[in-house]
Amino acid sequence: MGKLDVSLLRYLDRDAMRILQAVEVGMKNHEYVPLEIVASVAGIKAAGCRKILLELVRHKLIGYDVKVRNAYRVTYPGYDHLALRVLSNRDVITSVGKQIGVGKESEVYIVADANATQYALKIHRLGRTSFRTVKTNRDYIKHRKHYSWLYLSRIAALKEFAYMKALHDCGFPVPRPLDYNRHCIVMDLIDGTPLCQIRDIDKPNRVFNTLMELIVRLAAHGLVHCDFNEFNLLISETGKVTIIDFPQMVSIDHPNAEWYFDRDVQCICDFFRKRFAYESFAVPKFAEVQRQANLDADVAASGFTSAQQKALDQYRKECDEAEDQESEEEDDDDGDEAREHAAAEAEGEGEGEGEGEEGEEAGDDGEGEVEGEGATEGKQEDAGAAAEGEQSGEDDDDSSEEEEEE
């Protein structure tokens, strides 16, 4: 577990990388992978495979057990080369610089891409002598009885990348994650100084209040940092705070969440009292935290059980169904109003047409009455004319009779 040495990366050919990958695959079921399995997985003959394996052993990229003949395992330097080769092929990084940080479970280096833009490369190295209580302090193993440090380092990197991406998307002051592979994470290089290295600070009350607000804000999003101390906080020259180191985060539903929360608060209080002679009695309480988001569910934080995940999914489903039902009811109400409006318009038109028909009928009746009166008057005139004709005819007869008598 020495420092990162990438001098061999440019000289490793395709067959050497295939054999490294074959040993890595075989370690899923074997502590030491037999030569036959390595040759079978790599697709290389046993004689050629053995020759390359011995060369990799000489450069300490592959280890072996003296008690087991022709059986090999990948070491941390070999695992580094596998991860860096993938990141290099993706054009994420093209060069590796000096080491800028080291901890009980990781190392941090400066790297750069083809445009000379600098980033930070964090390499997880669980299994150091100073940190071998992973089984009791982390939930990486779960139900597994047998595990390797490479596997645990890979799980730690995966969890940290997921936490960083979720927190960065929510606006938390964390480095922006770029990419990861195996146990390596590439992130933005932060221009800041660890809080543990700062001897004096202007207005410590402002920084203290900012840190307390971050602890409460994390809890409101469903997460507890569990290692919120001066070693995992970076302070810039302008006083901006950046949080780092996330693999150990747990959900606020974790059985020990309150204890972790209080420990984070107490760590900051103790440090500010000893280093800056600043003490505050107004500190946040876990019972006062109100959940505002479910980041612990989104990243499957420790303590967020599968039963809680099912309950959350059911709740989200019910909310979606309620929203759909409300939208359908609104559509139905709009349709009823439209139908009522159309019916009212149709009724108004029907009344207008009825009044018009009644008017026409009344007009027709009036004309009939006028025609009837005219016909009566014509009949009376005809009768008068006929009476006058009969009277004149009678007078003519009388005059003709008188003439005959004479």
Side-chain angles (χ1 to χ4, degrees), residues 278-336:
Y278 175 81
E279 189 171 1
S280 176
F281 297 98
V283 295
K285 302 295 183 183
F286 183 79
E288 299 174 354
V289 175
Q290 296 182 356
R291 180 187 283 271
Q292 300 176 358
N294 298 305
L295 281 184
D296 52 345
D298 296 337
V299 296
S302 175
F304 195 85
T305 61
S306 58
Q308 292 171 331
Q309 180 65 45
K310 292 180 181 178
L312 179 62
D313 294 340
Q314 181 64 25
Y315 174 74
R316 289 175 175 173
K317 183 179 179 181
E318 292 175 356
C319 291
D320 294 339
E321 291 177 354
E323 291 179 359
D324 295 339
Q325 186 175 1
E326 289 179 0
S327 61
E328 290 177 359
E329 290 177 356
E330 291 177 359
D331 295 339
D332 294 339
D333 293 340
D334 295 339
D336 294 340

